[in-house]
Amino acid sequence: MAAQFGRRLRKGAATTAVAAVAVAALSASQAPGVNDHGRQAAADATPSPDTSASDGSATGNSPYYTDLPPLKSPKPSPSTGTGTAAPGTTEAGIPATVLDAYKKAEAALNEAKPGCNLPWQLLAAIGRVESGQARGGRVDADGTTISPILGPQLDGNGFALIRDTDDGAYDDNSSYDQAVGPMQFIPSTWKWAGRDGNADGKKDPNNIYDAALAAGYYLCRFDWDLSDQKDLDRAILSYNNSREYLNLVMRWVEYYRKGTHEIPDGTGTLPGNRSDDGAGASPSPSTPNTPNTPNTPAPGGSKPKPSPRPEKPGGGTTPPKPPTDPGSTPTTPPSTPPTNTDTVDHLEDAGTAKLTAMAGDAFTKRISTRAETKAGKAVSKVRVRFTIIGDTDTTFTGGENVATVATNSSGVAVAPALQAGEKTGGVTVRATVVGRTVAGLDYTATVTERAADALVRTGDAALTCTPGGEFANQVEVKATYGGAVADGVAATATLIKSADDPAVADKGPYFKDADGKPVRTLKALKTDAKGLLKLPKLYADDTTGTFLLRISTAGGATLTVELTVAAAETSSPSPSTSPSA
């Protein structure tokens, strides 16, 4: 079955129709117009035009399993998941490690992006359709598949044309990309969407914990709310842009929502039908023109060339090249019409505004790039890769430093919003065309330090002290910028000589350092998450009078606070009473 998953069979119109009819049949037999949660059924939903906004799909629209869920979810026995699965329960059951990965990914996304409302059942449905739950849970103790799970090479022959983007690092194919792992990410998508779900320091598409977490972030990347059916449809279509795929995944989502259970790893059922072969059965050895049919020597006695790549576990083999006849006159192969990518001559800026943000803030402007022919004509449906380069902690929203976006009908690709890190200075984002060598286009974004434009005290109690004593109240201020809380803003507190002389005072109130010695300037202070800054205790020497404490922040906010040191008031003695005469 593993070999069957990796077969490089070509997707034809007839087999696609078979899958579509099968899904439609189940739609008619299993579901009313509205599902159990009151949402519009997937079959009736209309996909959003922006479903392919980023990279076309996570899988490169690779083939997938088309097996439909049973009509009824069986109820597991109490012992299911601890021993051999009971007959009839494996279809609804999910291998223990795989199910754990889905639930951990859901928990992580609920914390990182609560507004997305990602259900683990969606990950389970996609995992079922993409890889049969990692081939029935054939994973090791760490969640890595026992052998690689590879889709067919995306060489344009019945599939999308995606030339190699990873030099074979993930799919061992340096000519074309292939979908990889239990969630079937293509390498170019994994490069920016990959996550470390099991905290082992690696982002491995063959690991179910990494792949499930990456799938969750991928589905939540556009701030979609997956509890809304329209957003859910958009997210699923962005994973594999096919109406049949959407319908099928939704069937499995609803199936798992009605009940599922844990089964031992390696005992899950393996799907038998795929979108690229219709019936899903292995081709008959006698069937002509199939990948399993040996090449027939060409007239003239020449032998066919062997496949350039041996069959790998879980994957297929690269289709053998057709034999040549050295005795015949060479003929020019039929010309292949150029793809949109082939026509791109250069990239142009598409009106990107100045990119500036304070550390920790999201950039309000986004990078726009236009793909053009040599004549300056816009080129649509071209993948543009945006890469953040250099030593910076600025990322795209979601934490990635690489994002791939398809150009729209105007030839424009708009990068995801940038999220400023804590490192200030210039950040370079380079735009390149995926699958074509043309000069990249660099954009510069600037990260400025966190700033405040206003400081106010949080209390109004008088700040007084007796000579040689300790101020009873500590100074606390709140910083804001444009009326909003200014958190993480650097500040300095200095006891100055006078309003006209900002030099550090040499007498009067003081702070104490770690050794208890007097200091009158505090640096490297920062406001907290609420924009608050509470200064250490203040002490007084023997000098009396009124003194000034000046607090300043990055961005120019300044506040001057008065401190008073005065001797304690003593009550006057009562006048003596003269003794009466």
Side-chain angles (χ1 to χ4, degrees):
M1 185 62 68
Q4 176 188 340
F5 185 89
R7 285 202 315 270
R8 289 167 172 79
L9 299 179
R10 296 301 178 252
K11 184 177 180 181
T15 57
T16 303
V18 170
V21 170
V23 174
L26 187 77
S27 300
S29 64
Q30 280 190 283
V34 178
N35 63 29
D36 292 344
H37 299 269
R39 294 191 300 268
Q40 183 182 15
D44 300 324
T46 303
S48 167
D50 62 356
T51 51
S52 58
S54 179
D55 207 24
S57 74
T59 70
N61 295 325
S62 294
Y64 52 89
Y65 285 118
T66 59
D67 292 51
L68 302 170
L71 295 176
K72 185 177 181 181
S73 299
K75 295 182 179 179
S77 64
S79 61
T80 299
T82 59
T84 303
T89 65
T90 55
E91 191 72 34
I94 298 177
T97 299
V98 178
L99 181 59
D100 184 56
Y102 296 149
K103 290 186 175 180
K104 279 184 167 59
E106 178 195 53
L109 266 297
N110 284 346
E111 181 177 349
K113 294 191 173 185
C116 182
N117 294 305
L118 173 79
W120 68 260
Q121 291 90 344
L122 174 58
L123 298 176
I126 291 175
R128 170 73 192 197
V129 170
E130 292 295 345
S131 69
Q133 310 297 21
R135 294 201 202 100
R138 286 160 178 79
V139 296
D140 63 19
D142 295 324
T144 302
T145 57
I146 301 301
S147 57
I149 301 176
L150 295 172
Q153 68 174 13
L154 301 174
D155 55 9
N157 294 319
F159 306 119
L161 173 60
I162 303 180
R163 296 188 175 91
D164 175 62
T165 62
D166 65 333
D167 198 26
Y170 294 118
D171 54 14
D172 196 27
N173 187 336
S174 58
S175 298
Y176 300 96
D177 273 353
Q178 295 174 245
V180 181
M183 302 305 277
Q184 289 289 278
F185 279 97
I186 54 174
S188 60
T189 302
W190 182 261
K191 185 175 181 180
W192 61 263
R195 290 293 192 281
D196 179 10
N198 60 351
D200 64 353
K202 297 184 295 183
K203 299 177 182 178
D204 183 2
N206 297 296
N207 182 278
I208 185 59
Y209 288 99
D210 294 0
L213 185 61
Y217 271 96
Y218 183 91
L219 294 164
C220 291
R221 69 196 186 285
F222 287 136
D223 294 327
W224 285 323
D225 178 1
L226 302 188
S227 64
D228 178 88
Q229 187 64 48
K230 290 183 179 179
D231 278 356
L232 181 58
D233 289 351
R234 292 185 181 102
I236 296 171
L237 286 169
S238 78
Y239 209 90
N240 192 315
N241 196 9
S242 160
R243 170 59 56 181
E244 289 75 25
Y245 183 87
L246 167 63
N247 290 341
L248 181 62
V249 168
M250 279 306 306
R251 296 303 164 197
W252 280 105
V253 168
E254 296 304 328
Y255 181 72
Y256 287 133
R257 278 175 173 159
K258 293 175 183 177
T260 186
H261 54 279
E262 177 185 301
I263 61 174
D265 289 344
T267 65
T269 57
L270 297 178
N273 303 302
R274 280 175 52 80
S275 60
D276 57 351
D277 64 7
S282 299
S284 168
S286 62
T287 304
N289 300 322
T290 66
N292 288 352
T293 303
N295 287 320
T296 303
S302 63
K303 295 182 179 180
K305 295 181 180 179
S307 171
R309 188 182 305 277
E311 183 174 354
K312 58 189 102 172
T317 58
T318 302
K321 296 180 180 179
T324 57
D325 182 1
S328 62
T329 303
T331 59
T332 302
S335 60
T336 302
T339 64
N340 286 25
T341 301
D342 293 333
T343 66
V344 176
D345 177 76
H346 59 274
L347 295 174
E348 290 285 346
D349 177 42
T352 302
K354 185 178 180 180
L355 300 166
T356 303
M358 284 196 298
D361 288 351
F363 283 75
T364 57
K365 306 298 182 182
R366 296 165 68 178
I367 295 171
S368 296
T369 299
R370 176 182 164 97
E372 297 183 352
T373 65
K374 190 173 184 179
K377 183 180 178 181
V379 185
S380 63
K381 299 180 180 179
V382 171
R383 294 185 304 145
V384 176
R385 179 177 296 136
F386 297 94
T387 305
I388 300 172
I389 60 179
D391 182 19
T392 179
D393 55 356
T394 292
T395 65
F396 291 112
T397 302
E400 302 88 15
N401 59 9
V402 177
T404 306
V405 182
T407 57
N408 59 21
S409 58
S410 299
V412 175
V414 180
L418 287 165
Q419 175 67 43
E422 295 303 321
K423 292 183 178 179
T424 59
V427 177
T428 299
V429 180
R430 180 165 297 162
T432 55
V433 179
V434 176
R436 183 159 177 80
T437 304
V438 297
L441 187 59
D442 285 354
Y443 295 84
T444 299
T446 302
V447 179
T448 61
E449 63 180 333
R450 294 172 183 256
D453 57 13
L455 279 174
V456 295
R457 279 189 66 193
T458 58
D460 56 5
L463 299 168
T464 60
C465 183
T466 58
E470 175 183 309
F471 284 81
N473 298 307
Q474 289 176 249
V475 178
E476 184 181 64
V477 297
K478 182 175 183 178
T480 56
Y481 187 87
V485 167
D487 61 314
V489 177
T492 301
T494 306
L495 291 149
I496 60 176
K497 289 185 175 181
S498 68
D500 299 325
D501 186 356
V504 179
D506 53 8
K507 58 183 178 179
Y510 60 89
F511 300 104
K512 288 183 180 180
D513 64 14
D515 297 324
K517 296 179 180 180
V519 292
R520 291 186 169 88
T521 297
L522 296 179
K523 298 181 179 180
L525 302 172
K526 278 193 176 182
T527 60
D528 65 14
K530 296 180 180 180
L532 299 177
L533 173 62
K534 191 171 187 177
L535 299 181
K537 287 185 176 181
L538 279 161
Y539 302 86
D541 60 13
D542 294 333
T543 309
T544 59
T546 300
F547 303 90
L548 300 178
L549 170 66
R550 179 161 293 170
I551 306 168
S552 58
T553 69
T558 301
L559 176 67
T560 302
V561 180
E562 283 192 358
L563 306 172
T564 302
V565 179
E569 293 183 3
T570 57
S571 57
S572 301
S574 300
S576 59
T577 305
S578 300
S580 50

